Structures are given as C-alpha cells and as structure tokens.
Amino acid sequence: MNQNLQLLHEYPFGKLKTLLQNLSIETTEPVISLAIGEPQHAPPEAVLNALVADLGHINQYPSTQGSEALRQSIAAWLTQRYQLSDAVVNPESNVLPVVGTREALFAIAQTVVDVTNTQLNSPPLVIMPSPFYQIYEGAAIMAGAEPLYLPCEAANHYLPDLDAVSDSEWNRCQLVYICNPSNPTGVIPPASFYQRLLELADRFDFVVASDECYSEIYYDEHSPPLGLLEVCQSLGRNDFARCLVFNSLSKRSNLAGMRSGFVAGCDKLIAAFLKYRTYHGSAMPLHHQSASVMAWNDEAHVQVNRQLYREKMDRIVPMLQSSLGVEIPAAGFCLWAKTPIDDELFTQKLFSQRQVRVLPGQYLARMIDGHNPGLHYIRMALVQPIEDCVQAAERIVKLVADL
Ligand SMILES: Cc1ncc(COP(=O)(O)O)c(C=O)c1O
C-alpha cells in the first residue's frame, strides 16, 4: 500500500458527520445545510438541453485534449473575461479541459512535483494558504511533497504572507497553490501579490497554480476579480511561464455534477499535464463537452446567478453583522464568520438546538506553531434558496443571543 495514504487527513465533511452524530436534537425545525458548497441555483436550461441532445456520442471515447470547439470557447472566454490580447491564449497549446477542477488541482501536483530533485536533502515543498481547499494538501502528500501552510488571517488581510517563507523553503518549493477568490474568505489578492509571487517563482523555479473557480461569483458587478493570466499579460509574460489557472462551470453555471472545467496557461506545463492525463485517463464525455461550449459562450445566466448571490449577501450579512461580525465578501458565496465560542462547539449547538449545519473553520486549516487560523470561525455556504438562508440566519442570531 502507498504509505502516503496514511498521511491524508480525514476530509472535513467526514469530521463534521462524526461531530454531529449522536447529538440530541432539541427542535422540530427542518434542517438547513450551509455546510457543503454545492450550488442549488438552477443550471441553464439550454446547457441541459445540449447535454441531452448530444447523448448520441456516448459510444465514443473522448480524447484527453478535448474537442477543438471546447478549447476555442474556453480561450475566447478567457480572452474576453480578462481582456487578453487576441491570440495570446492558443486553444491548441494553452488550454486543456478537465473533469472539474478538483481532479485537476490534484493531478497537477502529480505532474509537477519531482521527488528526485530535492534540495537540502528534504522532500519538496508545496505551499498553500490556510484555511484552504483540502485537495491542495492531499495532492501534495500523494505526490511525495510536504505541504507548507501560510496562515491567512485578519491581521494579514487573509492573504498568504509570502515574506514569511525563508529562502531555504523557497528553494525546496516546487508548486504554490493560490485560491482566488479564496474559499472560504472570499478575498481577492491584489496584482502586487501575484507580481511578488512571480518574482519568487522565477528566482526559485516553481509553478503557480491559481485556483479561480469562484471568479464569476463576485459582489460588485463592475469589479470582477483579477486573474493570474491577466497579471501575466500586464507584466509582459505572454508565455504565462510557470503559471496555470484552474476554472470550472460548477459555481459559475451551477453545473457541479457535469464535472466540467479547464486548466490554462504555460504551454510547456499544459503539454506535460496532457501527457500525464493521457495515462491517468480523465477525459470529458463528448456530450459534456458540447454542453460546456454552450455554457462558456453565454454570460446572461452567469449575471443572473451572481445577482441571486448578491441578493442573499444583502439580506443575510446585515442580519449576522452584530452576532458574528461578518462583512460582505468581495467574492464567493461563503461567509467566514467569527464564533463567540469554540467553532466545533458552536457547530454542535447550532445543529442540535437550531438544525442549521455549518462547517467548523478549524477543519479547513491546520495547526502551525500551536495556532489554527480557522479556530473560532465557521464557514457558511449561502447555496440554499434565499428564504432558507434567511431562516438559517434568524436561527443563528437566536443561538448567539442564547449563549
Ligand atoms: C476552492 C475550490 N477549488 C476547487 C473546487 C472544485 O470544484 P470543481 O471540481 O467542481 O470544479 C472547489 C469546490 O468546492 C473549491 O471550493
């Protein structure tokens, strides 16, 4: 058995299940779950129709590289969304469809990490924010690297502190994951953050993987989040050297079950990733590809989706402001809320007394030097219909008042 499996942590939702089981339930109210970030808004009908209409291709093996039509629609979307120069994103060499970003974020570490190239006689490092999307850590571990966590807290505006990493650690680093906009905090790093990261990437020779799967869920319609490819262009790095972005239709288009995303960036990295994936065997079914083309080509449904989240933020955040000190995040659909008591205990009380399910913040982060940056936080994913979210907020306010 691969010994690295022993190093994997239990997934947060498994821990949550254990935390909540066997509690005595003190209310008859129905359960409202804000724990899992699975969008509940309706997917675009035209995309569903395309999915069904193209089922006839089910007898065919799809190619790992995906159809030209899909790669073209992704390249066009990137070009329009990030105001990139024409032809800077080549659909042939800079874009690869993936079966959701989860598997791609995992697989990229298997492609990039080289355990034979160790510095200072130590395993390679994969650097990531904390709290973080758990796949980054599992990917690093299974690739034989050591995860290095950069705490993201109020004091550092919830951004990883790149200057907290020593030169010897940067020397060992082969891959850095950035979550932009961040799950769970909704923070968008400024261009200066990426510029510094790219200087370091050039100096110490590592790859930057920018997970941008919440890029289309933002509060200010006139201020879409910055993306890494856009930063590359502004720096004249039109070859996107060392850079990859990951995005998907799961949040943008409420198509989590379709498992459709892409990776885009440096052609050498894309070529290596394609080679890896050819053996790994993750190719998107052809009818999913046709439906994805339709989704990437349409922005109207995305604007509607964004507006639904905006309405929820406008209703819920003022309700919770004094109880949990939350503010409207720049992006994403999660609230990262400070709890008046331990986050696990708060989660238990909220479930047993009020039947609202949330995720303890400490499950999304790691303890470093005796401190877990997720401690005393909960993550609430506002994925349910607005009335359910309002009801959940009312119950939370009552719970806090009773504490
Ligand atoms: C930060 C982040 N990245 C990536 C993913 C994976 O999304 P998908 O595989 O559906 O594209 C998620 C899903 O919740 C996420 O929260």
Side-chain angles (χ1 to χ4, degrees), residues 164-191:
V165 181
S166 68
D167 278 8
S168 65
E169 287 168 329
W170 282 125
N171 258 321
R172 288 170 56 200
C173 175
Q174 295 185 1
L175 175 65
V176 173
Y177 286 108
I178 297 299
C179 192
N180 166 31
S182 155
N183 169 9
T185 65
V187 164
I188 302 163

Side-chain angles (χ1 to χ4, degrees), residues 78 93-96 98 104-105 107-109 111-112 175-180 194 197-198 206-212 227-229 232 237 239-247 262-274 277:
L78 281 166
S93 54
N94 297 122
V95 176
L96 204 51
V98 296
L105 287 161
I108 196 63
T111 308
V112 161
L175 175 65
V176 173
Y177 286 108
I178 297 299
C179 192
N180 166 31
Y194 275 125
L197 184 59
L198 292 178
F206 58 81
V207 171
V208 177
S210 187
D211 174 0
E212 303 185 353
L228 174 58
L229 297 190
C232 285
R237 299 172 75 104
D239 59 356
F240 309 127
R242 306 184 198 291
C243 295
L244 290 174
V245 297
F246 296 69
N247 213 323
F262 69 79
V263 177
C266 169
D267 57 358
K268 290 191 193 74
L269 292 171
I270 292 286
F273 201 29
L274 175 58
R277 298 175 66 74

Side-chain angles (χ1 to χ4, degrees), residues 11 13 36-39 98-105 132-136 178-184 211-214 246-251 255-257 259-262 333-334 379:
Y11 211 69
F13 297 114
I36 297 187
E38 181 188 71
V98 296
V99 191
T101 49
R102 183 182 179 127
E103 64 91 359
L105 287 161
F132 58 96
Y133 181 51
Q134 304 290 294
I135 299 305
Y136 311 155
I178 297 299
C179 192
N180 166 31
S182 155
N183 169 9
D211 174 0
E212 303 185 353
C213 78
Y214 288 89
F246 296 69
N247 213 323
S248 110
L249 294 173
S250 300
K251 322 288 181 191
L255 290 164
R259 312 311 300 128
S260 177
F262 69 79
F333 49 55
C334 293
R379 191 191 75 174

